[in-house]
Amino acid sequence: MLSDKMQVAMNKQINAELHSAYIYLAMAAYFEAENLSGFGNWMRIQAQEELGHAMRFFDFINERLGRVILEPIEAVPAEWDSPLAVFEAAYKHEQKISGLIHDLVNLALEEKDHSTNSFLQWFVDEQVEEEASADAVVQQLRLVGDSGYGLFVLDRELGQRQLGAEAEGE
Ligand code: FEO
């Protein structure tokens, strides 16, 4: 059974993951409006991953006989200055999410809740990936600079991204 404090914190994380999905969907919409459908694809996949993350928390709370409470999702931006600005924002966002996951681990340890701590370790590892994959695109965009051809090539590459089985919660 989850403690009240842990349950509130885990529910907040469902909201944070859904908010992440909303942010990435807004980024997908921005790219699609800019005719960068490969970048848009990358963001759509990212949004689906975030839904998968939210559902992991959802299922875990239920398994621990807790109660899922869904709160309103904060509004997200619609415009960015450039593809680089979008990915810099994505990278910064993932750093923030890593901080939230670490706070949850600290709380689980405080509460001596080893099951929740164990569950959270998947997210600790996942956040390393999440930060690295956003940062990789930031670095590529910096290399590309103002090159339209570079952007075109990168758009094609990001269009190849597919949803991993793990992200679907399998
Ligand atoms: Fe659910 Fe991108 O962290």
Side-chain angles (χ1 to χ4, degrees):
M1 186 104 186
L2 287 172
S3 71
D4 286 348
K5 213 169 162 186
M6 199 75 239
Q7 176 170 298
V8 167
M10 297 291 270
N11 269 305
K12 267 182 106 169
Q13 193 61 30
I14 293 183
N15 191 273
E17 300 291 348
L18 291 174
H19 182 237
S20 301
Y22 216 39
I23 289 173
Y24 292 127
L25 215 46
M27 291 174 170
Y30 163 84
F31 281 126
E32 285 169 25
E34 296 286 315
N35 296 314
L36 290 166
S37 61
F39 283 89
N41 173 67
W42 196 98
M43 285 298 173
R44 278 176 184 247
I45 301 284
Q46 191 63 27
Q48 281 176 267
E49 282 210 0
E50 300 303 347
L51 283 179
H53 293 171
M55 291 313 294
R56 278 179 184 257
F57 281 95
F58 185 104
D59 290 340
F60 183 76
I61 292 171
N62 282 330
E63 270 171 27
R64 299 289 306 283
L65 308 179
R67 183 72 173 86
V68 169
I69 310 282
L70 298 176
E71 299 285 352
I73 300 170
E74 195 188 325
V76 292
E79 296 298 337
W80 288 266
D81 289 340
S82 64
L84 178 59
V86 176
F87 272 89
E88 283 175 339
Y91 175 60
K92 214 168 147 201
H93 181 72
E94 288 304 332
Q95 288 182 305
K96 186 178 138 195
I97 296 294
S98 297
L100 295 179
I101 296 291
H102 295 171
D103 289 347
L104 284 173
V105 171
N106 290 338
L107 179 61
L109 292 174
E110 250 172 54
E111 301 273 304
K112 298 186 173 41
D113 182 346
H114 298 289
S115 314
T116 300
N117 179 34
S118 172
F119 165 80
L120 289 168
Q121 293 310 307
W122 183 89
F123 283 93
V124 171
D125 296 339
E126 173 71 1
Q127 281 310 121
V128 174
E129 286 266 319
E130 291 282 84
E131 287 188 33
S133 62
D135 181 59
V137 183
V138 168
Q139 298 311 324
Q140 285 170 318
L141 280 166
R142 286 192 181 142
L143 276 177
V144 159
D146 291 333
S147 159
Y149 179 70
L151 203 59
F152 173 77
V153 171
L154 192 51
D155 188 60
R156 288 184 77 159
E157 189 189 312
L158 299 184
Q160 307 295 316
R161 186 181 185 193
Q162 292 180 343
L163 190 63
E166 262 205 340
E168 292 175 277
E170 289 169 11

